[in-house]
Amino acid sequence: MSRVIELEIKEKKFKNESLSSLENFKLEVNEGEKIAIIGESGVGKSTLLNIIGLLDGDFSGEYNIFGLSRKEMCDKELASFRNNKIGFVLQESALIDTLSIEENIKLPLCYADNEQKQFTLQDFEKITKAIRIENILKKKPLGCSGGERARAVLARGLIMKPKIILADEPTASLDEDNKERIVELLFKMNKKYNTTIITVTHDLEVAKRHDRIIKLERR
């Protein structure tokens, strides 16, 4: 089993103060693991997810992902790495209002090389049907409910068949039926493609279904 994440945060400044929960924080994740991150609001869960996802490099420490050092990557390399290796299902991952739901979901393919475009029409139809958004594909985001937009963000995060999926409260705005569909879809990706799943959640029942739970606490 290969190591995909080796992260050591010595210090992370947040709003001019050190984020105590991420001081001297270490995380190692193996390929195909399912990790849940829990903790009270404001403790740094989403910040940690942004660091793992190469969106936030403003910390002191070391981060190796797939054996590569973050410090040695230029901005272009970081952007390419995020698009091809990491799938984001983030609360703040806004959909583009001028594009349809289908166009939003397929947007990552615009930045992929031809040989990387492995996501077929059949796969697209399977995912949109599995999370019940096939009837809103031609709608614009503003014409959809919050739950529908959340499911569209999930589909966009999966479209590149990423090696790592980072999910920030992916079931927060969903009813029990759709929550179960999304969890099952994430875990199916994990099983079929050995995708590493890292989920921030307040739902302890969802957290317990992961291989490991990491709790962030203020010190």
Side-chain angles (χ1 to χ4, degrees):
M1 189 179 298
S2 62
R3 188 71 47 79
V4 296
I5 289 172
E6 295 175 297
L7 174 64
E8 180 178 2
I9 302 172
K10 295 180 180 179
E11 185 180 44
K12 169 61 181 173
K13 292 289 186 180
F14 186 71
K15 293 182 180 179
N16 298 320
E17 295 184 0
S18 179
L19 198 56
S20 62
S21 60
L22 295 181
E23 280 186 356
N24 299 315
F25 176 86
K26 293 183 179 181
L27 176 65
E28 294 182 345
V29 181
N30 292 321
E31 184 179 12
E33 271 198 286
K34 301 189 299 293
I35 308 293
I37 300 173
I38 64 173
E40 63 183 77
S41 296
V43 78
K45 301 185 301 297
S46 295
T47 298
L48 176 58
L49 216 60
N50 287 337
I51 290 173
I52 294 171
L54 304 173
L55 292 170
D56 185 348
D58 187 21
F59 66 95
S60 61
E62 298 290 334
Y63 183 24
N64 293 318
I65 181 168
F66 293 102
L68 300 174
S69 172
R70 189 201 195 284
K71 291 180 179 178
E72 296 177 2
M73 297 185 198
C74 66
D75 289 345
K76 185 177 180 180
E77 289 170 327
L78 287 170
S80 177
F81 206 93
R82 285 191 297 265
N83 191 62
N84 295 304
K85 300 285 189 181
I86 303 174
F88 295 93
V89 184
L90 306 178
Q91 289 179 309
E92 302 302 322
S93 195
L95 300 171
I96 299 174
D97 292 334
T98 56
L99 299 180
S100 68
I101 293 296
E102 180 173 356
E103 290 169 333
N104 268 285
I105 292 171
K106 292 181 176 179
L107 192 60
L109 293 175
C110 297
Y111 305 97
D113 297 332
N114 288 331
E115 62 185 43
Q116 296 170 321
K117 294 181 180 180
Q118 302 173 8
F119 200 87
T120 65
L121 180 60
Q122 185 178 6
D123 293 323
F124 174 82
E125 291 174 348
K126 283 181 179 178
I127 284 193
T128 54
K129 185 175 182 180
I131 55 178
R132 294 182 176 177
I133 59 171
E134 67 269 32
N135 62 326
I136 65 164
L137 294 176
K138 303 306 179 184
K139 289 185 177 181
K140 300 291 177 64
L142 292 178
C144 301
S145 68
E148 288 171 338
R149 292 195 296 271
R151 283 177 278 162
V153 168
L154 171 68
R156 187 175 65 182
L158 302 183
I159 197 167
M160 293 293 291
K161 293 180 182 173
K163 295 293 185 182
I164 299 174
I165 293 175
L166 304 178
D168 192 353
E169 298 285 358
T171 61
S173 60
L174 303 177
D175 56 35
E176 287 298 318
D177 185 40
N178 282 309
K179 178 172 75 173
E180 183 61 26
R181 286 174 177 272
I182 280 189
V183 172
E184 286 184 357
L185 187 57
L186 284 171
F187 287 1
K188 187 175 181 179
M189 288 284 292
N190 167 262
K191 185 175 181 179
K192 186 174 182 179
Y193 301 110
N194 203 31
T195 305
T196 303
I197 308 287
I198 301 178
T199 306
V200 163
T201 182
H202 281 98
D203 190 324
L204 288 180
E205 291 304 314
V206 170
K208 289 176 182 177
R209 295 170 67 176
H210 291 67
D211 300 323
R212 230 180 345 135
I213 297 176
I214 295 171
K215 185 176 183 179
L216 296 184
E217 297 180 304
R218 300 184 194 278
R219 301 174 189 172

